[in-house]
Amino acid sequence: MSKEELRQAVLAMMTRNDELQDQNRSLRGLLDSEMEHAAKLRGELETMKESSIETQDKLNMQVQVLSRENDVLKHQLKKYVGAVQMLRRDGPAAVDGLPGMRLDEPQPAIPEPKPSAHAIQSDQEADYERKLIQVAEMHGELMEFNDYISRQLKIKETIISRLKDELVDLRGPLPEDVPSDPNSPVSEFEPFSAATSRPLINVWIPSAFLRGKGKDAFHVYQIYVRIKDEEWNVYKRYTQFRDFHLRLRKSHAVVHTFEFPPKKAIGSKDAKFVEIRRKKLQQYLRCVLNFCIKSTSELSERPCKETLVSIMPFFNDSSRKPSKAAANTSGKPKLLAGRKGTQTPEYDGL
């Protein structure tokens, strides 16, 4: 054999030796684990033996006690059988001769057999199981009732939200019913007093009218304002609304948070678009009035048309009345959006 072959043989033997050592280590590990498992089993077996020995001792003691009781009962039974036989053979005179036997004395009552521990435990388990079933049924009924209450609350909340939206659409934004200070006490009459103390200033935009013809046509929005017993109409174009918004935004930063409908160059005369813009302008004016009432003590203390117009000339209706000829040439205004009335409100010019 050459040196190369010997070298390869030695390497193969070394590799085989390493494999055998790995197998030996793995087998030793398995043997150790099996020995540990066997030791655990031996311990469990010893424990079971001890418990079985104890149980057997207890049973043997019970057997011994029962056997003694059985012997006593047998002896008493023999005595009673002999007494009965003598009574049948010799009559009542034989009983008088027996010690401790008197016919006129009451015999002791035979005690009822006591239930065993196993019977008591089985009765307790049955009672506990029955109670668990009752509790599970009650829990199921409570869950169903809770689901029903949750559905009813969601329905009520939806109805209240819809009614509130309708009320806001008709009357304007509702005032705050709770005080700003969370630590101050709140009585049950404060929401009512807060709602009644608010000045009765309401604003609507019930309709929009198309004026002019062709490219010069534009929409005019009817603004209906009511303060207690005073009411009047104001007619404004969208550009006037926008100028009013820009002036307010310069002087009051909070106006930036009010939603104002943006300007639209194409499709601004579409009926659906005009209706959406009418609602947004109405909501915008209501927000402005609420802000003005909160920030201006004069308007909150003396709400009237004169005070409102002095603070916001935008709501002034004193403008030049158009002549009858001009009114006849311009034609009747066309109602595009809002409420339908029996009479068309008069447009008093821009």
Side-chain angles (χ1 to χ4, degrees):
M1 295 178 65
S2 61
K3 291 182 179 181
E4 187 65 28
E5 291 177 350
L6 289 173
R7 188 181 300 168
Q8 290 179 357
V10 170
L11 290 174
M13 291 178 65
M14 292 175 65
T15 305
R16 181 61 179 170
N17 187 21
D18 294 336
E19 292 177 356
L20 292 175
Q21 288 180 358
D22 293 337
Q23 290 180 1
N24 189 16
R25 283 194 294 268
S26 63
L27 290 174
R28 284 181 181 176
L30 291 173
L31 181 60
D32 293 337
S33 62
E34 290 296 332
M35 289 177 67
E36 291 178 358
H37 184 63
K40 290 180 180 179
L41 291 177
R42 289 194 192 96
E44 292 178 358
L45 182 60
E46 293 294 333
T47 305
M48 292 177 67
K49 284 182 179 179
E50 292 177 358
S51 62
S52 63
I53 291 171
E54 292 177 358
T55 306
Q56 188 176 2
D57 293 338
K58 291 180 180 179
L59 292 176
N60 291 330
M61 291 175 64
Q62 291 180 1
V63 168
Q64 291 176 3
V65 172
L66 291 174
S67 62
R68 285 195 298 269
E69 291 180 357
N70 191 19
D71 294 338
V72 173
L73 290 174
K74 284 181 179 179
H75 180 66
Q76 292 178 356
L77 183 60
K78 287 180 180 180
K79 289 173 66 177
Y80 278 110
V81 169
V84 170
Q85 290 176 357
M86 289 176 63
L87 179 63
R88 287 180 179 178
R89 185 178 64 249
D90 300 335
V95 179
D96 295 334
L98 293 176
M101 295 293 294
R102 297 290 184 271
L103 293 176
D104 55 349
E105 292 181 359
Q107 298 297 324
I110 300 175
E112 296 181 356
K114 296 182 179 180
S116 62
H118 179 70
I120 295 174
Q121 185 177 3
S122 61
D123 293 340
Q124 291 178 353
E125 290 177 356
D127 189 19
Y128 185 68
E129 185 178 359
R130 185 170 60 255
K131 290 181 179 179
L132 281 179
I133 293 173
Q134 292 178 356
V135 170
E137 292 177 353
M138 291 175 62
H139 183 264
E141 293 176 357
L142 288 175
M143 291 296 293
E144 292 179 358
F145 184 71
N146 188 23
D147 294 339
Y148 173 76
I149 293 295
S150 300
R151 290 194 299 269
Q152 292 296 321
L153 285 177
K154 288 181 181 179
I155 294 172
K156 297 295 183 183
E157 289 176 357
T158 305
I159 294 174
I160 291 172
S161 178
R162 178 173 57 82
L163 293 176
K164 187 175 180 180
D165 293 339
E166 293 178 359
L167 182 60
V168 169
D169 187 50
L170 292 174
R171 183 192 178 281
L174 299 174
E176 289 78 11
D177 292 335
V178 295
S180 58
D181 187 8
N183 298 322
S184 61
V186 181
S187 67
E188 59 181 351
F189 300 104
E190 282 184 1
F192 177 76
S193 62
T196 55
S197 63
R198 182 180 181 271
L200 299 178
I201 301 178
N202 300 310
V203 61
W204 290 271
I205 301 181
S207 59
F209 300 94
L210 183 65
R211 306 291 295 183
K213 295 181 180 179
K215 296 181 179 180
D216 298 331
F218 55 88
H219 285 94
V220 177
Y221 296 90
Q222 177 193 359
I223 306 172
Y224 174 72
V225 187
R226 183 175 68 195
I227 303 178
K228 295 184 178 180
D229 295 332
E230 292 182 292
E231 56 184 15
W232 69 95
N233 289 313
V234 183
Y235 299 90
K236 301 290 183 181
R237 295 179 58 178
Y238 171 77
T239 54
Q240 293 173 298
F241 279 97
R242 193 166 182 273
D243 295 338
F244 173 65
H245 174 64
L246 293 176
R247 288 196 301 272
L248 281 179
R249 196 170 61 178
K250 290 180 180 179
S251 57
H252 303 285
V254 71
V255 180
H256 286 275
T257 61
F258 300 161
E259 183 182 1
F260 186 81
K263 187 176 181 180
K264 187 176 182 181
I266 300 174
S268 61
K269 297 179 179 63
D270 182 66
K272 292 182 180 180
F273 173 76
V274 173
E275 173 64 15
I276 295 173
R277 177 180 278 182
R278 178 189 70 81
K279 292 181 179 179
K280 290 184 177 181
L281 290 174
Q282 176 177 267
Q283 182 67 19
Y284 171 77
L285 289 182
R286 288 172 176 175
C287 293
V288 170
L289 279 178
N290 275 344
F291 168 71
C292 185
I293 291 169
K294 293 177 184 178
S295 60
T296 308
S297 59
E298 183 180 1
L299 184 60
S300 60
E301 294 173 358
R302 193 171 63 90
C304 62
K305 177 181 178 181
E306 182 182 356
T307 306
L308 178 62
V309 172
S310 64
I311 296 173
M312 292 185 178
F314 177 81
F315 294 99
N316 188 12
D317 62 340
S318 61
S319 57
R320 181 179 58 84
K321 298 287 183 180
S323 61
K324 291 183 179 180
N328 292 332
T329 54
S330 61
K332 294 182 179 180
K334 183 179 180 181
L335 179 63
L336 290 183
R339 303 174 182 174
K340 295 182 180 180
T342 56
Q343 296 180 356
T344 303
E346 182 182 0
Y347 171 63
D348 55 359
L350 300 174

